Amino acid sequence: IYAIGDIIDGDSLSPPSNTTELTPVAIQAGRLLADRLYAGATLEMDYTGVPTTVYTPLEYACIGLAEEDAIKTYGEERVEVFHSYFKPLEWTLPHRGDNACYCKLICDLQENLRVIGLHVCGPSAGEMAQGFAVAMKCGATKAHFDQTVGIHPTVVEEFTILSTTKRSGASAEKKGC
């Protein structure tokens, strides 16, 4: 008997996952199970780093650990959080709210600032998360983000210029573009 999709208790996985009820996760798990049963494959579903999006008027997307879970897993001394409140350039003419968007990278200090969580609230958040999920599967670090040339003017560019850490206590609000 095999279980995939909503039936799986995400808390019983190692590491635990809260993404088991997502349709694309069930599809991927089913495809991998079929490959193991009928094609001789050995790859199992990896429930870590699954990108998730909430389609609200201002989209929210995340990959990996929440800040609280990262601290619980690694300890506060090992977690560095880079974040920014910002206003997308495309919102300048219609004058939508200043600093209404937010992005955050959660990094492991002991692993060369490897990105263990990414969160964004803003236009096209889901599209951003899909691309970043690949980078995180490949072990992306904060340095990889810093060394990437941002496409201007895009919302995703914000991840290439993050410099404010929560630990610093400095304001994460942006002034201008």
Side-chain angles (χ1 to χ4, degrees):
I1 297 175
Y2 300 94
I4 60 171
D6 293 6
I7 193 76
I8 295 177
D9 176 14
D11 289 335
S12 67
L13 296 172
S14 181
S17 172
N18 60 359
T19 60
T20 58
E21 296 179 6
L22 300 171
T23 300
V25 172
I27 292 168
Q28 176 81 348
R31 221 180 357 241
L32 291 170
L33 175 61
D35 288 349
R36 286 195 310 278
L37 293 174
Y38 303 109
T42 59
L43 189 61
E44 293 186 9
M45 180 65 194
D46 178 5
Y47 292 96
T48 59
V50 173
T52 306
T53 300
V54 179
Y55 294 103
T56 50
L58 187 60
E59 284 183 29
Y60 167 74
C62 63
I63 312 158
L65 296 175
E67 184 178 346
E68 298 78 12
D69 292 336
I71 290 170
K72 191 165 115 181
T73 302
Y74 294 102
E76 192 166 357
E77 68 286 345
R78 228 177 119 173
V79 174
E80 188 71 271
V81 177
F82 296 86
H83 66 139
S84 175
Y85 292 95
F86 62 97
K87 175 182 180 177
L89 193 57
E90 65 195 67
W91 287 7
T92 304
L93 289 179
H95 193 68
R96 294 190 186 165
D98 289 338
N99 293 316
C101 298
Y102 183 72
C103 67
K104 170 166 61 172
L105 286 179
I106 302 163
C107 302
D108 182 352
L109 283 163
Q110 286 186 4
E111 291 189 39
N112 198 30
L113 289 175
R114 181 175 59 89
V115 179
I116 56 176
L118 182 146
H119 301 262
V120 60
C121 187
S124 304
E127 297 291 336
M128 290 184 263
Q130 186 67 67
F132 285 134
V134 174
M136 287 176 63
K137 287 261 185 213
C138 294
T141 64
K142 176 68 168 75
H144 291 126
F145 281 79
D146 294 342
Q147 294 164 6
T148 300
V149 175
I151 300 170
H152 186 72
T154 62
V155 174
V156 74
E157 174 186 28
E158 195 65 31
F159 281 100
T160 66
I161 57 174
L162 282 175
S163 61
T164 305
T165 64
K166 280 195 170 181
R167 191 183 313 264
S168 74
S171 173
E173 293 191 9
K174 297 282 290 215
K175 306 274 191 275
C177 63

